[in-house]
Amino acid sequence: MSKKIVLAYSGGLDTSVAIKWLRDKGFDVIACLVDVGQKGDFEKAKSKAKKIGASKIYVVDAKDEFAKEFILPALKADAVYEDKYFLATALSRPLIAKALADVAKKEGARYVSHGCTGKGNDQVRIEVSLEALASGLSVIAPLREWEFKSRNQELAYAKKHNIPVEATKKSPYSLDENLWGVSIECGVLENPSKEPPKDAYQITKDPKNTPAKPLYLTIGFEKGIPKTINGRKYKPVDLISKLSKIGADYGIGRSDMIENRLVGIKSREIYEAPAAYMLHTAHKELEALVLDRELSHFKELIAQKYSELIYYGLWYSPLKKSLDKFIDDTQKRVTGQIRLKLYKGSCTVVGRKSKNSLYKEELATYSEKDTFDHKAAEGFIKIWGLPYRRQS
Ligand code: ARG
């Protein structure tokens, strides 16, 4: 009997070719397609995998878990990598690893496989996650091993073995998409001095072609979790999808960056994350209103560390677990509403409200309602400045 291997399957060229390649190496291939909110025809992908030779196909609907257990913790942590990347791809990898481990256990498979390349972050994220979740599984990474030197060689192999390749016009970019955003690289984007061509962006409208009037909307949070849009309650997946659609229509959430990869190289990538942009903007603003200064500033340090843990594939690490406890504790006060204004690619905060607000108008005001003790400032300054008083 041949050895069972569970392959993280997307339906794209690489993992389709991988089915055939692994079979030729003597494996019984079980394909596992994890739905994290990417677009695509899963039925078609399923029949394609069957046709190429997978013995079984699992389609795992992980959208709900992705939103609740991966996206929301990252939002509560204010985790953004190098200021521009909301970590859509990075967040999905530990979840895909978990799905692989689950299917492997169910099937009694000792091997798992994925379609990540040898110079990216994703191989690290998936394999380190697997180490933490299910030690004893062996990983075969075809893209690190196989003989194809180029996409054309891979296409030729696909043709030779009757592996269906999408007839639709092939994107010149490498795309990764899920509920939280789209990551786009390769092609002309590899030249960092060039502006991304219009066709590089997949879901957001060019701000130039967005509505002439601004759109206002209010996001309601409870303990750091977004619950409502304009007062209407939504489940996490629905709330994120809805904001993503609205934001995309207003050209929100594009970024173009040079990032430091875990494997040492710098890469250029562009991102679209309308919902992530809006939710992070609103969440941070609400925190500014309800958290005291010291907690707020300390939390910023934690946010940086947390974003690195996600990016570096250390989701299932003890540090991440401990930080979650701290972050959850900070979120107890983060309840309130933030009003956003979307207009031609920009998303700005125009209003904030919370029963836990630490903003006191009677202290902040310059009008006659002022209750701040101006006299007390004098003593405060004297003592605060004491270490710096000139001696001569
Ligand atoms: N650079 C991003 C990361 O490491 C995204 C990687 C996948 N991007 C892609 N276009 N396939 O998380």
Side-chain angles (χ1 to χ4, degrees):
M1 218 182 75
S2 56
K3 302 164 285 184
K4 285 186 178 178
I5 191 164
V6 183
L7 166 71
Y9 177 67
S10 72
L13 177 69
D14 289 337
T15 51
S16 297
V17 168
I19 295 177
K20 169 76 182 143
W21 189 87
L22 287 165
R23 269 183 57 103
D24 287 351
K25 292 267 179 286
F27 287 102
D28 167 11
V29 183
I30 298 160
C32 176
L33 202 163
V34 187
D35 176 4
V36 281
Q38 70 274 37
K39 280 199 238 50
D41 184 340
F42 298 147
E43 279 314 309
K44 206 163 136 199
K46 250 171 116 168
S47 60
K48 184 166 155 183
K50 262 246 137 66
K51 185 168 174 261
I52 305 166
S55 64
K56 225 175 182 178
I57 296 116
Y58 283 81
V59 177
V60 183
D61 181 353
K63 292 194 288 293
D64 217 44
E65 190 179 0
F66 186 42
K68 287 190 191 137
E69 309 296 332
F70 292 80
I71 292 175
L72 292 181
L75 175 66
K76 288 191 275 183
D78 300 311
V80 186
Y81 187 65
E82 296 183 342
D83 280 337
K84 287 186 181 170
Y85 171 36
F86 294 102
L87 296 157
T89 298
L91 280 165
S92 72
R93 296 329 190 210
L95 175 55
I96 291 171
K98 185 163 171 263
L100 288 177
D102 288 348
V103 173
K105 187 162 176 216
K106 201 164 157 201
E107 290 287 335
R110 287 188 37 249
Y111 295 86
V112 287
S113 180
H114 57 70
C116 308
T117 72
K119 61 197 265 189
N121 299 309
D122 290 330
Q123 51 176 348
V124 184
R125 294 169 183 149
I126 289 185
E127 292 179 36
V128 170
S129 295
L130 284 167
E131 289 287 345
L133 290 169
S135 58
L137 287 172
S138 300
V139 178
I140 309 282
L143 276 80
R144 288 199 296 248
E145 290 184 26
W146 66 28
E147 53 281 17
F148 316 123
K149 296 261 177 303
S150 67
R151 195 173 176 87
N152 278 344
Q153 287 184 10
E154 206 183 325
L155 283 166
Y157 176 92
K159 199 165 171 207
K160 186 167 151 211
H161 294 98
N162 271 324
I163 297 170
V165 177
E166 294 307 289
T168 51
K169 128 173 129 35
K170 186 72 210 119
S171 166
Y173 309 104
S174 158
L175 305 174
D176 182 66
E177 183 190 24
N178 63 46
L179 187 61
W180 202 223
V182 189
S183 308
I184 308 141
E185 62 178 345
C186 299
V188 280
L189 299 173
E190 285 172 2
N191 181 344
S193 72
K194 292 264 189 288
E195 182 178 358
K198 287 199 181 356
D199 73 348
Y201 292 102
Q202 308 294 312
I203 58 168
T204 53
K205 282 216 173 114
D206 184 340
K208 212 174 73 199
N209 306 324
T210 55
K213 282 201 192 133
L215 180 78
Y216 290 86
L217 54 89
T218 301
I219 301 178
F221 290 84
E222 275 170 38
K223 295 192 165 71
I225 294 174
K227 297 265 176 167
T228 59
I229 305 172
N230 294 334
R232 220 181 123 185
K233 252 184 169 324
Y234 291 91
K235 287 201 287 245
V237 173
D238 301 333
L239 183 131
I240 295 165
S241 317
K242 189 166 170 73
L243 288 180
S244 185
K245 170 89 188 60
I246 298 172
D249 285 344
Y250 281 79
I252 309 294
R254 292 181 168 193
S255 62
D256 174 354
M257 73 186 283
I258 298 290
E259 74 193 43
N260 288 296
R261 270 193 202 170
L262 185 52
V263 293
I265 56 179
K266 286 189 189 290
S267 62
R268 197 275 189 99
E269 185 131 5
I270 62 172
Y271 296 101
E272 297 174 280
Y277 190 92
M278 292 158 73
L279 286 169
H280 272 276
T281 303
H283 181 258
K284 276 201 76 129
E285 189 72 12
L286 184 55
E287 287 189 329
L289 189 68
V290 302
L291 300 185
D292 69 276
R293 182 184 60 204
E294 293 309 308
L295 180 52
S296 220
H297 290 184
F298 187 74
K299 193 166 180 291
E300 279 176 27
L301 306 176
I302 300 300
Q304 147 105 15
K305 189 73 208 171
Y306 201 94
S307 74
E308 284 170 9
L309 290 175
I310 297 170
Y311 193 88
Y312 298 169
L314 302 178
W315 184 260
Y316 299 111
S317 65
L319 178 55
K320 143 81 174 53
K321 282 201 188 89
S322 296
L323 291 182
D324 275 336
K325 295 226 166 67
F326 166 76
I327 292 159
D328 277 339
D329 194 60
T330 66
Q331 298 301 289
K332 285 193 279 204
R333 303 179 51 79
V334 187
T335 295
Q337 297 81 40
I338 299 294
R339 195 161 162 75
L340 298 174
K341 177 182 180 178
L342 313 184
Y343 182 62
K344 298 261 166 222
S346 79
C347 162
T348 46
V349 174
V350 291
R352 35 327 241 158
K353 259 188 204 159
S354 168
K355 63 178 188 332
N356 300 326
S357 171
L358 297 177
Y359 178 89
K360 301 278 178 274
E361 198 170 347
E362 65 274 19
L363 290 177
T365 184
Y366 285 92
S367 74
E368 55 280 0
K369 283 193 247 147
D370 186 14
T371 62
F372 185 83
D373 184 354
H374 291 239
K375 276 267 173 292
E378 214 175 293
F380 168 72
I381 296 164
K382 214 175 241 164
I383 291 170
W384 179 247
L386 198 57
Y388 315 106
R389 184 173 295 168
R390 284 184 78 112
Q391 298 303 321
S392 53

